[in-house]
């Protein structure tokens, strides 16, 4: 990729190459060269296998193609910052559906989770619940800067790039179960 964009808007369905394969190619670590953009997948369906696969492949979020322009602008900003998935009403259904499909927790995932401190595990649960750092900090009464530090450490320990991958990991790892707080 010659242009080095910060965010790529990826159509889930394209005529020559599907959005999933294009996302894989854009995010391929072998093509990294010190810069990997974030990917925002645009889809026509509110529950779409492309979205699941794109999230697994490292996409930073998704948005429906019929979203209002202001939502698209906000989503690009959110994904560019690596903070969280955009939060349209479909996000909760998507995560619940994704989690319902997940296989049993592998030994490798269990080991990765066991390497987290209690506080890091709580922060990961907060991320999976869609909470911002300030909201995560409010519950146990710790400083927001401490939460940011915990987020950075748990991303490093788990090999995660952003909050979208953290949500997927928390559900796939069995740390969070749909419908339970």
């Amino acid at each position: 990729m010659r242009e080095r964009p910060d965010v790529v808007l990826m159509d889930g369905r394209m005529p020559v190459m599907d959005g999933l394969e294009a996302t894989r190619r854009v995010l391929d670590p072998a093509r990294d060269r010190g810069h990997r953009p974030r990917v925002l997948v645009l889809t026509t369906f509110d529950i779409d296998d492309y979205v699941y696969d794109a999230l697994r492949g490292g996409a930073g979020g998704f948005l429906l193609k019929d979203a209002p322009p202001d939502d698209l602008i906000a989503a690009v900003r959110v994904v560019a910052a690596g903070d969280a998935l955009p939060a349209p009403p479909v996000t909760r259904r998507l995560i619940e559906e994704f989690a319902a499909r997940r296989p049993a927790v592998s030994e490798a995932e269990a080991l990765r989770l066991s390497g987290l401190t209690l506080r890091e595990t709580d922060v990961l649960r907060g991320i999976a619940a869609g909470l911002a750092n300030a909201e995560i900090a409010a519950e146990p009464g710790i400083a927001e800067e401490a939460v940011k530090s915990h987020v950075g450490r748990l991303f490093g320990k788990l090999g995660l790039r952003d909050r979208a991958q953290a949500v997927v990991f928390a559900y796939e790892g069995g740390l969070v179960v749909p419908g339970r707080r």
Side-chain angles (χ1 to χ4, degrees):
M1 184 173 292
R2 200 172 23 158
E3 300 301 323
R4 301 174 56 90
D6 293 321
V7 176
V8 172
L9 295 178
M10 185 65 67
D11 190 337
R13 306 225 188 252
M14 299 183 291
V16 176
M17 177 188 306
D18 71 20
L20 178 59
E21 180 59 28
T23 297
R24 282 189 196 118
R25 289 185 186 190
V26 166
L27 297 176
D28 182 2
R31 304 178 76 184
D32 188 345
R33 296 192 179 100
H35 176 77
R36 282 178 55 183
R38 306 224 185 247
V39 175
L40 175 63
V41 175
L42 300 176
T43 181
T44 55
F45 305 106
D46 62 356
I47 298 295
D48 185 352
D49 285 338
Y50 272 86
V51 175
Y52 301 118
D53 292 338
L55 290 172
R56 276 193 191 102
F62 74 96
L63 195 64
L64 297 177
K65 287 182 182 178
D66 64 357
D70 289 344
D71 288 357
L72 178 60
I73 291 167
V76 168
R77 287 184 175 136
V78 166
V79 170
D83 286 338
L85 287 167
V90 73
T91 301
R92 178 145 318 276
R93 284 197 326 260
L94 173 72
I95 291 171
E96 288 173 0
E97 175 80 13
F98 182 81
R101 292 179 174 201
R102 73 175 166 76
V105 178
S106 71
E107 284 185 47
E109 287 172 327
L111 276 173
R112 287 170 70 191
L113 275 171
S114 70
L116 298 179
T117 66
L118 183 58
R119 185 69 67 166
E120 289 165 346
T121 303
D122 288 342
V123 168
L124 181 55
R125 278 192 187 100
I127 291 170
L131 301 178
N133 288 347
E135 295 169 310
I136 294 169
E139 207 162 298
I142 62 172
E144 187 174 348
E145 289 301 315
V147 171
K148 288 180 184 178
S149 294
H150 291 304
V151 169
R153 280 196 300 275
L154 75 89
F155 279 17
K157 287 180 179 180
L158 299 176
L160 304 173
R161 187 174 52 254
D162 55 31
R163 291 173 89 96
Q165 286 188 327
V167 170
V168 171
F169 181 85
Y171 277 87
E172 284 187 338
L175 183 64
V176 178
V177 178
R180 290 194 202 147
R181 296 264 328 161

